[in-house]
Amino acid sequence: NGTLKEEIYMRQTKGFEKGDKVCRLYKSIYGLKQASKAWNERFNEFMSRCGFSRCVEDSCLYVRVGKFGPVYV
């Protein structure tokens, strides 16, 4: 799950209500509009830390050049 940059609140889930409160989300959850963007940013950070860089022509392709040549993921 990616970390959210925006402040997002949701109603409590049925069966777990405690008074008249709402929940603030710090991590994206399935079904949230921002979930795919947050996940992609987190994945890109991880790949960058591992030495891969995102291809300019295709943002789904990551490249790392090692001593035996390029590695494509």
Side-chain angles (χ1 to χ4, degrees):
N1 294 336
T3 305
L4 295 171
K5 294 179 182 173
E6 305 89 3
E7 279 191 30
I8 298 178
Y9 296 90
M10 64 177 264
R11 283 179 263 150
Q12 296 179 36
T13 307
K14 287 185 180 181
F16 294 95
E17 298 102 344
K18 290 190 176 183
D20 194 24
K21 297 181 181 182
V22 293
C23 301
R24 180 175 178 203
L25 299 177
Y26 291 96
K27 298 268 187 181
S28 62
I29 58 173
Y30 180 79
L32 192 63
K33 288 182 182 179
Q34 293 89 339
S36 58
K37 182 176 186 266
W39 182 87
N40 190 10
E41 288 174 352
R42 185 172 180 190
F43 181 74
N44 189 44
E45 263 180 47
F46 173 77
M47 293 300 281
S48 296
R49 284 196 313 264
C50 291
F52 287 88
S53 58
R54 187 179 269 174
C55 182
V56 177
E57 290 83 15
D58 185 358
S59 61
C60 296
L61 180 67
Y62 287 85
V63 180
R64 181 179 73 183
V65 179
K67 62 182 177 181
F68 298 114
V71 176
Y72 302 101
V73 177

